[in-house]
Amino acid sequence: MSDEKPPQLVDYFVVAGLTDASRPLEDENQQQRPARPSEPITDVAVIIRSQGEEVPHGFTCIETTTSGHPVDLNAGLLNNPQMFICYKRGRDKLPLIELGVHYEGKDRPRPGYTILDTTPYSRSANLNSGGPGHQRTFLVYRRAAEPQGHNALGVTDICLIMPSKGESTPHTFCRVDKNLNTSMWGPALFLCYKIAMAKANTLVYEAGLLGRYPEQDSESFPLPESVPVFCLPMGATIESWPADTKYPLPVFSTFVLTGASGDKVYGAAIQFHEAFARERLSEKQRLRLGLLSVVDRRPIGGRSVQTRKSICVLSHWPFFDVFRKFLMFIYRYSISGPHVLPLETHISHFMHNVPFPSPQRPRILVQMSPYDNLLLCQPVSSPLPLSGASFLTLLQNLGADNAVTLLVAVLTEQKLLIHSLRPDVLTSVGEALVSMIFPLRWQCPYIPLCPLALADVLSAPVPFVVGIHSSYFDLHEPPKDVIFVDLDTNNIFQSEERKLLSPRALPRRPCKVLLASLHSLSQQLHEMYNKPVEEASLEFLLTDYDLVYGRRKQLELEIRAAFLRFMACLLKGYRSFLQPIAPAPPEKSRETANLFLLQGFLKSRERAYQKFYGQLLRTQLFTQFIEDCSFASDRYTCLEFFDSCVDKVQVELEKPEDVPLMELDDSHGSEHTVFIMPPEEPTGPDGSELPASYCYDGFPTLRPELLEPAQDLLMAQLCQARSSAPSSPAPRRTKQEMKVAQRVAQKYFGVPDMWAKCLLGHCYGLWFIYLPTHVRAAPSKVRALQLAYEVLRKMETHKVVLPDEVCYRILMQLCGQYGEPVLSVRVLLEMKRAGIVPNTITYGYYNKAVLESKWPASTQGGRLRWAKLRNVVLGAAQFRQPLRQRQRQAELQEPPAPPRPRAALQRQTTWAGRSLRDPPAAPQLVKSGSLSFPHAEATTLEAGVGQMLRALGAPEPPRVRDAAPASAEGSLSDVSFATDESERADEAGAAGAGGGRREAESGGTPRRGLAAKLQQLLSPGKRPSPRHAADGHGGPRDGGGTEQRDRDPPQRRSPMDTLLHPRERPESTASESSVSLGSEFDFSETSLGSHKAAEPPGDVAQEPPAVEVLLSSCSRCQGCGSLVYDEEVMAGWTSDDSNLNTTCPFCDRAFVPFLSIEILDFQQAPSGAEDGSVPAPAAQGPVLSDRHRCLALDDAEQEPGPPPGLCNGCAEQAARGPPRRQERVAFAYLSPLVLRKELESLVENEGSECLAQAALVDSHPILYWNLLWYFQRLGLPSNLPRLLLGSQHVAAPPQAQPPDAAAASVGVRLLWDVLVPEPDSVPPLYVLWRFHSNVPGRLQAWQHREHPFSLAFLEAVLRHVGLSEVHKAIALFLDTPPAHGGPRHTQRSIYREILFLMLAALGREHTDIAAFDKKYKSAYAKLAGSLGKEELRRRRAQPPSSKAIDCRKSFGATLEC
């Protein structure tokens, strides 16, 4: 059933039978057998001809075997008594239903059997009467207990066979495995008999449709025209019975219809007889039915005419037991009466008002009448395909050995014909035969219950699995090249023309384990079904139904798991022989030889079993299996489950593994039961009961006006589960992947460094689930995909733990969707480099992308040629630069300067390839195979290219608009070669700026403050980088708009100068979070809320963001009141993907952490002229790393220029004024494991489109803010910030703005500390440091609170830390008494207080947090010896755990304070 169709219990109700258009089936030109016997056998007898006994009247003597040999029972004896067996047919007695042989003194008499001990002439009927020393042998028989109707089963034929003469059991006969000749002389002789329905006076027609409901076809599933034929597989009959014949019981049958797409539809039907009007018969029909005499055509009395009908339900669900009860109720309702309600009411009530069972309502108890009910249970949750198979029925009817024999037959694609007199057994066994070979799928004709009208399929020259009623062989000769499976006698008949491989051809150890498991389970089945009647009845009648039903399900699961283990061992290691499709694949790429190394797989198997494997590899089963594994299909869940089973099994073992391959899913084991009451009976106007007016002579024709629609709207809604939004299976994890991810999380939970990488892996999994949404919104799809590929490479470089393949799978799917097969190949190579074997789903998406996408032409296109030409010109220009420089120096009569060294390779800080504060990048050499061109070139180079083009007479290439250069591969860290042209451009404009800077540097002598001394103590050997030393703090920029560097080489500067003149932050970053995070990846152009539509030419003044968002994950423990920071929250999360709690590191109490959000809306009312320009990215404010603003207060003389800003970036905000709107909200901070589970559920239910809608912010705020936090935390690009503009948190924009402008007006900053101080809390030390230094902070509320920490205290703490005396700093903190009336302890730990103080005083660049952690841990160990760990823990002096430190390292450097 397709995923889009909501579950519905019943699709159609059908009535089938004889119609006016029905054609006779027995008149067709088919090879038919002689007339079948019209009467069953009612008596058997033994006669002794040597004693003068003759064949009794009406009896038939068996004198020869099936091949004509004489059958004297005592042949070879000296006193041969010449004994023979006779039988009699008739209907005057109940028919015989079983025959046997009894050895007196050796066998115990069986109940219900009669021993034939005398002949009709009162002599002994001992079949072995050779003498007193011989075994006495008698025939036994069993007669039907009561009349079963005209078509009751009975013994219809008897024969004797001699195996020594080459005779075998005839087809459809049962053999009694006891020798009739037990003497030492004479051949062995065995008795065979056949059970069938002895019919006479019967006409057979093809069944037609008599009625249906609903009358209109469903769009998704129209009613198949062949349904009536399957309802009555042996045809619609007209039969003539004796007038006093009892009606037979209805016969239940099941069938399966397979659509063109492979979807299965299950049918359940009952067949019954009802009277047929004799007037509707023609004279010819009456003659054939025996209703007219042959001579004078006179009517023959004492006979009745009956016809066979069927009622049926069609469903996509194999609830055969439930449907049988419902159909039997409908049939009994039609033959009883009168009733108040019509039959149609019960049919429509069952179809409309009975809901499909679900996890919320796993049991549906339907009360059809006061005496009839049925229980509908939720299907067993299994990764295997849905099937109507019953492995219990298979094992009961065939046994273990025959089941393995049929397994070989199905795997080698033989012609299999299963037959039985029980039509309901055929479907169950047929479904089991095609299900036992999972993951292979039967590709040839498959009809588990074949109608007589379709019996021509038995002559097809292709393999098939067909089930047919055993009475077929009374009409037709069996085919010669077919393997027959008789389910009634547990026999397999093989023709000489087509011999089957022996089970010994199967791999020995897996086959041995399979046989042992099946024998054990067969014994358990025998014990369960052969209990004493009293015990079984008590068990079913009392409250143990669930126990018995559960035991049946468990046995069914164990039988299926035994076959699954065998198949997993059979195909062990197959994935290593799959061949990825080569680049630019040919048209024959779908052939198995191109997808799978057949010979390599065959050679990997043992030589003794290569004959079997050779046949298996040539089957359509295996060919289709390889295609399913190589391409994306709807079987991805099943194949992924099979791969997990292959990994579990061990072929060399001779017993099953301890870990079960299949388990019952008890997660939905709810006891909730929904009761469905029968339809209400109507009442009269005065409330009285209406008379019963509906009575039927036979099954009625359905009247549409009586078929009521659904009346209970609630039940009607329950019938249809909510249809999930159609989404690709790529971002979805299968159940097996979820289980593996859970086990990986549990395994790494106790390993600190691996736990951090596990969380990081799930974070990247979140981004890749979001990736399709991001790519759809990206202006350049190719560049977005290249970015994702680079993320994968970095993840592998940093050994991120990926519990599944979703990241690779999504990228491969997008490569196929946007036509990037080359990138898909690179992703596959990246997987192999990481040691990951792609599973079926990932492998299918790879092959789909490679096969269906358009590959680049093998001939080089125009752009590639332009790239080659440009590289030649640029290379020549590089070599000419020193010559031009020397020539210019000579012209100026200056001494030749040494050639300037090439600029070192620099890591770019933005996706544009450079920082806007850096000089313009020089032209890059572009690979000839790359499609990316440098976007900025020197004028001389352009002139050179143009001159070359004019000389060649070729048109110039189209000019690429100015944009930031990007590498051909979208690399995270592009490199650029700085040429002398750009350096001369720097030198040309350096005079003014250089003079101002030198004047500023020599103008004043700054005092050596505390910060400079501490810097010397903390890093005495550190030298500032040339880039740091070259940056200055002079006046405003010149017209060029870029800072210039001195021509002189940088001189060594003191740490004091470094502190007072630190490197400025690049202003090209789009928001605060990328640089302040210092994360592993820096995607500042597209990730951090300020999305640039295009880089403005020159240096245009950048506008601040219209909306600024502050995020903090610092949470307060509800138990001890301590503040728990981001890495400590991560360390406290558990591996449970449903647990929202983390653990406080101070009191070990579980609590839910929160994300605190502050939204500042600076959008102003419309005023002034609109220039239509796109707003530039948000200008970032300084953070703790901007040391010149924090430490400049140590200087006695302030430098000229604008006043210093705030350390936390609030100077700009103060200059801009208060925000138009300010809002603070808080939502639960979710673990990446929990968040991923919720995100997958959201995408599954609402589709990935919801991630691109602004409604996400308001409808799913927890998901939105957590995703925004993690994406910003890792610097991953997203469009999530722009969604905020359409939410209720931000006022509507005052005027219409372009989308890019709206996107560029959101700035996001991630903070380490709290956004709002708690009431009566002590200010942290780093805030006090700023207060004492007169640096205004973001939170001025702390300034007027009492605290015990003076400036001298802060300087002492810093001095101890600088002298590596951290233990003294801790002791100083512990010895300081609390302020009068204030809290006794601070909210922050001592570790946090000292760390934040260092960051505020020294700056991020000059604070080695890893070294500080080691010093603090050593100091803590020293103090623990004197004060004790418990006391230090109580005073919150312990260092962070190793798990928290690893989380901070894995997720990047520190956040803002």
Side-chain angles (χ1 to χ4, degrees):
M1 182 178 179
S2 62
D3 295 339
E4 289 77 11
K5 181 178 177 59
Q8 186 172 343
L9 186 60
V10 176
D11 293 296
Y12 292 100
F13 181 88
V14 175
V15 183
L18 186 66
T19 64
D20 296 337
S22 298
R23 61 182 179 88
L25 294 178
E26 293 185 344
D27 291 345
E28 297 180 356
N29 296 326
Q30 296 179 354
Q31 183 182 4
Q32 297 187 4
R33 282 188 166 187
R36 56 188 173 184
S38 59
E39 295 176 336
I41 295 176
T42 57
D43 282 302
V44 291
V46 176
I47 61 172
I48 308 174
R49 286 186 173 177
S50 63
Q51 300 292 334
E53 297 183 358
E54 299 292 337
V55 178
H57 177 70
F59 279 74
T60 301
C61 181
I62 305 175
E63 298 183 355
T64 60
T65 63
T66 55
S67 58
H69 299 282
V71 291
D72 187 357
L73 298 181
N74 290 303
L77 296 179
L78 295 177
N79 54 346
N80 184 3
Q82 297 182 2
M83 304 185 71
F84 295 88
I85 297 177
C86 306
Y87 61 87
K88 178 184 178 182
R89 300 180 184 277
R91 291 190 181 272
D92 54 338
K93 294 181 180 180
L94 293 174
L96 302 182
I97 58 176
E98 195 169 355
L99 295 175
V101 177
H102 176 73
Y103 293 156
E104 190 178 70
K106 193 173 184 180
D107 297 335
R108 298 180 60 182
R110 290 187 290 178
Y113 284 79
T114 302
I115 300 177
L116 187 65
D117 54 355
T118 60
T119 67
Y121 299 92
S122 301
R123 292 184 177 91
S124 175
N126 177 18
L127 301 179
N128 194 8
S129 58
H134 292 82
Q135 178 73 54
R136 289 171 58 86
T137 306
F138 298 96
L139 285 180
V140 295
Y141 61 86
R142 184 164 64 95
R143 197 179 298 276
E146 59 181 14
Q148 299 294 326
H150 183 69
N151 296 331
L153 293 175
V155 177
T156 59
D157 208 349
I158 300 176
C159 69
L160 297 174
I161 61 171
M162 290 183 184
S164 60
K165 302 295 184 180
E167 298 175 350
S168 59
T169 305
H171 186 231
T172 71
F173 275 68
C174 300
R175 170 176 163 173
V176 181
D177 287 327
K178 289 186 178 181
N179 189 6
L180 295 176
N181 187 5
T182 58
S183 64
M184 297 177 60
W185 296 274
L189 199 62
F190 293 93
L191 175 68
C192 300
Y193 63 93
K194 178 180 180 179
I195 297 179
M197 288 185 292
K199 290 186 176 182
N201 304 323
T202 301
L203 301 177
V204 182
Y205 296 88
E206 183 177 338
L209 183 65
L210 295 177
R212 54 173 287 184
Y213 178 73
E215 295 184 346
Q216 301 297 327
D217 283 344
S218 171
E219 294 182 1
S220 58
F221 172 50
L223 179 66
E225 296 180 358
S226 59
V227 168
V229 178
F230 283 91
C231 294
L232 293 168
M234 298 309 295
T237 60
I238 301 176
E239 305 174 16
S240 174
W241 298 352
D244 56 349
T245 303
K246 183 180 179 181
Y247 275 94
L249 294 176
V251 177
F252 178 68
S253 64
T254 57
F255 58 89
V256 179
L257 302 177
T258 305
S261 61
D263 293 343
K264 290 184 177 181
V265 179
Y266 300 93
I270 60 170
Q271 307 170 28
F272 55 90
H273 291 81
E274 65 181 27
F276 188 82
R278 185 177 296 195
E279 294 77 14
R280 298 177 57 186
L281 298 174
S282 65
E283 183 178 353
K284 182 179 179 180
Q285 291 174 325
R286 294 179 187 180
L287 282 173
R288 295 186 61 185
L289 291 173
L291 300 178
L292 293 178
S293 61
V294 179
V295 180
D296 52 4
R297 302 293 196 269
R298 287 186 303 173
I300 298 176
R303 302 191 69 84
S304 62
V305 181
Q306 309 292 330
T307 185
R308 185 161 54 184
K309 274 188 178 182
S310 175
I311 55 176
C312 164
V313 292
L314 289 182
S315 174
H316 284 83
W317 306 92
F319 292 116
F320 292 142
D321 292 338
V322 172
F323 297 151
R324 180 180 58 83
K325 292 181 180 180
F326 168 68
L327 293 173
M328 290 300 297
F329 166 75
I330 294 297
Y331 169 72
R332 289 196 304 268
Y333 196 88
S334 67
I335 61 175
S336 61
H339 305 286
V340 177
L341 291 174
L343 183 70
E344 291 84 350
T345 301
H346 289 276
I347 296 174
S348 57
H349 173 74
F350 183 79
M351 295 184 64
H352 289 303
N353 298 336
V354 176
F356 189 86
S358 66
Q360 294 76 24
R361 46 182 190 281
R363 297 164 174 261
I364 309 295
L365 182 60
V366 183
Q367 193 74 29
M368 297 178 291
S369 74
Y371 310 101
D372 300 277
N373 56 38
L374 57 87
L375 183 64
L376 188 63
C377 298
Q378 183 187 5
V380 177
S381 178
S382 171
L384 301 181
L386 182 67
S387 170
S390 173
F391 287 87
L392 294 177
T393 305
L394 173 73
L395 203 56
Q396 282 176 318
N397 288 274
L398 289 175
D401 296 323
N402 283 343
V404 174
T405 302
L406 291 182
L407 176 63
V408 178
V410 177
L411 286 175
T412 54
E413 287 188 346
Q414 305 295 322
K415 294 183 178 182
L416 277 182
L417 178 60
I418 56 177
H419 60 89
S420 172
L421 295 169
R422 300 162 293 168
D424 58 322
V425 174
L426 289 173
T427 300
S428 300
V429 174
E431 285 280 278
L433 287 178
V434 297
S435 298
M436 66 168 63
I437 60 173
F438 175 84
L440 307 182
R441 284 194 298 176
W442 184 260
Q443 299 296 310
C444 300
Y446 167 63
I447 311 175
L449 180 59
C450 181
L452 193 62
L454 302 179
D456 291 340
V457 71
L458 301 180
S459 303
V462 295
F464 55 76
V465 174
V466 173
I468 202 165
H469 199 277
S470 293
S471 59
Y472 168 81
F473 302 105
D474 297 335
L475 304 173
H476 305 277
E477 289 287 343
K480 298 299 183 183
D481 58 346
V482 175
I483 299 174
F484 299 94
V485 183
D486 192 343
L487 300 180
D488 299 324
T489 62
N490 191 13
N491 287 322
I492 298 178
F493 301 90
Q494 302 184 40
S495 64
E496 296 295 334
E497 301 178 6
R498 192 152 184 158
K499 278 294 184 181
L500 184 63
L501 281 179
S502 170
R504 294 183 178 180
L506 299 175
R508 185 182 66 85
R509 289 189 180 91
C511 185
K512 180 180 179 181
V513 174
L514 175 63
L515 277 172
S517 302
L518 293 181
H519 279 296
S520 174
L521 294 169
S522 180
Q523 182 64 28
Q524 296 180 39
L525 271 177
H526 179 76
E527 295 174 357
M528 186 174 71
Y529 283 98
N530 290 275
K531 292 181 178 180
V533 178
E534 296 80 4
E535 182 180 355
S537 300
L538 182 64
E539 189 173 36
F540 278 89
L541 291 177
L542 297 181
T543 58
D544 292 337
Y545 171 77
D546 288 344
L547 180 63
V548 176
Y549 179 69
R551 180 57 182 159
R552 283 176 55 88
K553 287 198 302 183
Q554 184 64 35
L555 285 176
E556 180 85 14
L557 196 69
E558 291 178 5
I559 298 173
R560 191 159 194 174
F563 285 106
L564 177 61
R565 184 193 182 276
F566 173 80
M567 294 300 299
C569 294
L570 192 68
L571 301 175
K572 181 79 172 178
Y574 79 96
R575 295 208 65 84
S576 58
F577 297 95
L578 290 172
Q579 294 189 101
I581 296 181
E587 296 180 357
K588 297 183 179 180
S589 295
R590 286 184 177 269
E591 295 182 358
T592 307
N594 296 326
L595 300 175
F596 190 78
L597 295 173
L598 295 172
Q599 292 302 319
F601 179 76
L602 191 60
K603 291 179 181 178
S604 67
R605 310 292 133 170
E606 296 184 25
R607 184 179 298 272
Y609 313 122
Q610 289 196 0
K611 182 178 180 181
F612 164 75
Y613 276 106
Q615 291 191 23
L616 176 64
L617 297 185
R618 291 191 296 269
T619 60
Q620 298 182 52
L621 292 169
F622 193 79
T623 300
Q624 184 61 42
F625 172 66
I626 295 302
E627 288 190 12
D628 290 341
C629 294
S630 300
F631 303 100
S633 67
D634 55 353
R635 302 185 67 227
Y636 65 91
T637 304
C638 303
L639 296 177
E640 197 272 338
F641 166 72
F642 178 74
D643 289 344
S644 68
C645 295
V646 171
D647 296 336
K648 293 179 183 178
V649 298
Q650 301 179 27
V651 182
E652 64 277 2
L653 293 182
E654 295 191 359
K655 64 176 183 178
E657 290 76 13
D658 297 332
V659 180
L661 299 183
M662 298 178 61
E663 298 178 359
L664 283 176
D665 189 0
D666 296 330
S667 59
H668 304 314
S670 170
E671 297 297 329
H672 181 60
T673 303
V674 175
F675 291 90
I676 305 298
M677 301 304 294
E680 298 182 0
E681 296 183 355
T683 58
D686 54 352
S688 60
E689 296 182 359
L690 295 178
S693 58
Y694 293 97
C695 186
Y696 309 101
D697 296 332
F699 199 87
T701 302
L702 298 180
R703 298 166 58 184
E705 65 272 11
L706 298 178
L707 291 165
E708 301 177 359
Q711 297 180 357
D712 190 343
L713 297 180
L714 175 61
M715 288 296 104
Q717 293 174 1
L718 292 177
C719 286
Q720 296 185 354
R722 182 179 60 176
S723 176
S724 60
S727 58
S728 168
R732 284 182 281 176
R733 290 183 296 174
T734 62
K735 290 185 177 181
Q736 298 303 315
E737 288 179 322
M738 292 181 183
K739 291 180 180 179
V740 171
Q742 191 70 19
R743 288 197 295 266
V744 170
Q746 293 173 357
K747 175 183 177 181
Y748 291 149
F749 177 70
V751 185
D753 58 334
M754 299 307 295
W755 173 246
K757 294 180 179 179
C758 180
L759 292 179
L760 193 60
H762 281 279
C763 288
Y764 285 115
L766 292 170
W767 184 74
F768 274 94
I769 294 175
Y770 174 79
L771 181 61
T773 304
H774 175 70
V775 174
R776 281 196 300 267
S780 174
K781 316 297 182 185
V782 177
R783 188 170 182 180
L785 295 177
Q786 291 282 357
L787 182 147
Y789 171 70
E790 292 298 333
V791 172
L792 284 179
R793 295 181 58 187
K794 286 295 182 180
M795 290 163 60
E796 170 60 23
T797 303
H798 292 82
K799 306 299 181 184
V800 176
V801 175
L802 292 178
D804 48 62
E805 303 172 19
V806 170
C807 300
Y808 298 96
R809 189 156 65 234
I810 292 176
L811 186 52
M812 286 182 178
Q813 183 200 20
L814 294 176
C815 290
Q817 183 177 350
Y818 294 103
E820 288 295 320
V822 178
L823 184 59
S824 182
V825 174
R826 295 170 64 189
V827 174
L828 180 67
L829 296 177
E830 196 67 30
M831 287 188 70
K832 292 185 177 181
R833 193 177 298 113
I836 302 175
V837 179
N839 63 14
T840 302
I841 315 173
T842 309
Y843 197 79
Y845 277 106
Y846 163 76
N847 281 333
K848 183 177 180 181
V850 171
L851 189 64
E852 298 181 1
S853 300
K854 183 178 179 181
W855 282 80
S858 58
T859 58
Q860 295 182 353
R863 298 191 65 187
L864 297 180
R865 293 176 179 176
W866 281 118
K868 282 188 174 183
L869 178 61
R870 179 166 296 189
N871 284 342
V872 172
V873 176
L874 293 180
Q878 294 279 0
F879 282 105
R880 295 184 62 183
Q881 296 303 325
L883 300 178
R884 292 183 179 181
Q885 182 180 6
R886 293 172 185 173
Q887 182 179 1
R888 183 176 294 107
Q889 290 175 350
E891 293 175 355
L892 298 177
Q893 297 180 357
E894 293 181 359
R900 297 177 59 91
R902 296 293 176 206
L905 302 184
Q906 299 177 358
R907 182 183 178 93
Q908 65 185 31
T909 55
T910 69
W911 272 102
R914 62 181 179 87
S915 172
L916 295 184
R917 296 295 300 268
D918 294 339
Q924 288 183 300
L925 292 179
V926 183
K927 297 181 181 178
S928 61
S930 172
L931 299 181
S932 179
F933 289 86
H935 300 291
E937 299 183 13
T939 306
T940 57
L941 299 182
E942 292 183 353
V945 173
Q947 183 177 358
M948 290 184 62
L949 293 177
R950 287 190 296 272
L952 295 173
E956 294 190 20
R959 182 178 300 275
V960 182
R961 63 180 178 87
D962 279 340
S967 71
E969 314 245 336
S971 173
L972 295 182
S973 53
D974 295 337
V975 294
S976 59
F977 298 92
T979 65
D980 290 337
E981 293 288 339
S982 61
E983 291 171 359
R984 282 196 302 274
D986 292 346
E987 295 165 0
R997 180 165 54 252
R998 283 189 294 270
E999 180 181 353
E1001 289 178 355
S1002 61
T1005 304
R1007 65 178 179 88
R1008 296 182 58 84
L1010 175 64
K1013 299 176 183 177
L1014 290 175
Q1015 178 58 35
Q1016 283 186 330
L1017 294 173
L1018 289 174
S1019 53
K1022 282 191 176 182
R1023 292 180 56 188
S1025 64
R1027 183 173 179 179
H1028 289 187
D1031 291 339
H1033 305 282
R1037 303 175 185 174
D1038 56 3
T1042 56
E1043 287 194 16
Q1044 310 299 328
R1045 291 174 290 183
D1046 283 332
R1047 299 177 60 179
D1048 299 333
Q1051 300 178 359
R1052 182 167 181 174
R1053 307 176 66 182
S1054 65
M1056 184 63 187
D1057 296 333
T1058 304
L1059 282 174
L1060 295 180
H1061 304 285
R1063 172 175 63 94
E1064 290 191 22
R1065 296 185 58 202
E1067 294 181 359
S1068 65
T1069 39
S1071 78
E1072 289 300 321
S1073 53
S1074 64
V1075 176
S1076 59
L1077 286 177
S1079 59
E1080 298 170 352
F1081 311 120
D1082 193 1
F1083 305 130
S1084 55
E1085 178 181 334
T1086 55
S1087 68
L1088 303 174
S1090 301
H1091 303 263
K1092 292 189 288 186
E1095 190 171 312
D1099 266 345
V1100 180
Q1102 299 182 358
E1103 299 181 4
V1107 177
E1108 188 172 11
V1109 179
L1110 307 180
L1111 291 170
S1112 173
S1113 62
C1114 182
S1115 302
R1116 181 175 178 269
C1117 173
Q1118 301 299 322
C1120 61
S1122 303
L1123 290 180
V1124 183
Y1125 290 85
D1126 189 59
E1127 59 268 30
E1128 295 168 336
V1129 172
M1130 293 181 178
W1133 276 326
T1134 66
S1135 59
D1136 184 5
D1137 58 4
S1138 300
N1139 190 355
L1140 305 183
N1141 293 322
T1142 187
T1143 304
C1144 176
F1146 305 103
C1147 64
D1148 295 331
R1149 178 177 176 179
F1151 70 99
V1152 177
F1154 281 87
L1155 272 179
S1156 301
I1157 304 109
E1158 184 174 353
I1159 305 170
L1160 306 175
D1161 187 358
F1162 293 98
Q1163 296 181 102
Q1164 302 297 329
S1167 61
E1170 299 182 14
D1171 56 359
S1173 61
V1174 178
Q1180 75 288 345
V1183 291
L1184 290 179
S1185 59
D1186 295 331
R1187 299 182 307 280
H1188 68 282
R1189 299 187 179 182
C1190 296
L1191 304 179
L1193 296 178
D1194 288 340
D1195 299 337
E1197 299 176 7
Q1198 295 288 342
E1199 295 184 3
L1206 307 183
C1207 288
N1208 54 8
C1210 294
E1212 291 84 352
Q1213 178 177 336
R1216 298 170 60 185
R1220 177 185 177 190
R1221 181 178 180 183
Q1222 183 175 4
E1223 182 182 4
R1224 293 191 181 99
V1225 292
F1227 297 100
Y1229 184 24
L1230 302 184
S1231 160
L1233 281 73
V1234 180
L1235 183 59
R1236 183 170 185 181
K1237 179 180 178 181
E1238 297 299 324
L1239 180 61
E1240 289 172 339
S1241 177
L1242 175 66
V1243 173
E1244 178 73 17
N1245 293 329
E1246 301 184 19
S1248 59
E1249 293 78 9
C1250 67
L1251 300 179
Q1253 300 172 359
L1256 177 70
V1257 184
D1258 300 326
S1259 58
H1260 304 282
I1262 297 179
L1263 292 181
Y1264 171 79
W1265 290 111
N1266 278 272
L1267 289 176
L1268 182 62
W1269 168 267
Y1270 283 119
F1271 294 171
Q1272 300 293 117
R1273 188 76 169 87
L1274 298 176
L1276 297 171
S1278 74
N1279 296 322
L1280 292 179
R1282 65 182 300 176
L1283 300 184
L1284 189 65
L1285 297 174
S1287 68
Q1288 62 183 2
H1289 301 290
V1290 177
Q1295 56 190 4
Q1297 295 180 350
D1300 293 335
S1305 60
V1306 179
V1308 180
R1309 296 171 53 201
L1310 308 184
L1311 304 183
W1312 205 347
D1313 209 351
V1314 294
L1315 297 179
V1316 181
E1318 293 286 338
D1320 302 328
S1321 61
V1322 177
L1325 299 187
Y1326 76 93
V1327 174
L1328 297 179
W1329 172 265
R1330 295 170 183 169
F1331 289 162
H1332 289 305
S1333 303
N1334 296 323
V1335 177
R1338 183 173 59 87
L1339 301 175
Q1340 298 295 327
W1342 263 322
Q1343 190 166 5
H1344 304 290
R1345 297 188 182 181
E1346 295 184 1
H1347 56 83
F1349 308 114
S1350 61
L1351 179 60
F1353 174 85
L1354 303 179
E1355 293 178 347
V1357 170
L1358 291 172
R1359 186 181 304 108
H1360 289 312
V1361 174
L1363 296 173
S1364 299
E1365 298 174 344
V1366 182
H1367 63 285
K1368 293 184 179 180
I1370 300 175
L1372 180 64
F1373 202 103
L1374 294 174
D1375 294 340
T1376 303
H1380 179 70
R1384 182 171 180 81
H1385 301 297
T1386 59
Q1387 288 183 312
R1388 295 159 189 79
S1389 64
I1390 298 179
Y1391 168 85
R1392 293 287 166 189
E1393 293 283 10
I1394 299 177
L1395 175 62
F1396 287 178
L1397 178 60
M1398 291 176 55
L1399 292 174
L1402 306 178
R1404 175 66 183 90
E1405 287 87 351
H1406 294 278
T1407 302
D1408 190 345
I1409 299 181
F1412 173 73
D1413 289 340
K1414 294 180 180 179
K1415 294 179 181 179
Y1416 192 92
K1417 188 174 182 180
S1418 175
Y1420 173 78
K1422 183 181 298 185
L1423 291 176
S1426 58
L1427 299 179
K1429 291 186 177 180
E1430 290 299 326
E1431 176 63 20
L1432 292 177
R1433 180 184 175 90
R1434 187 181 65 85
R1435 302 288 296 274
R1436 301 173 187 167
Q1438 76 269 26
S1441 64
S1442 57
K1443 186 183 292 188
I1445 293 176
D1446 286 319
C1447 288
R1448 185 174 62 204
K1449 291 179 180 178
S1450 298
F1451 279 81
T1454 57
L1455 308 174
E1456 297 183 45
C1457 289

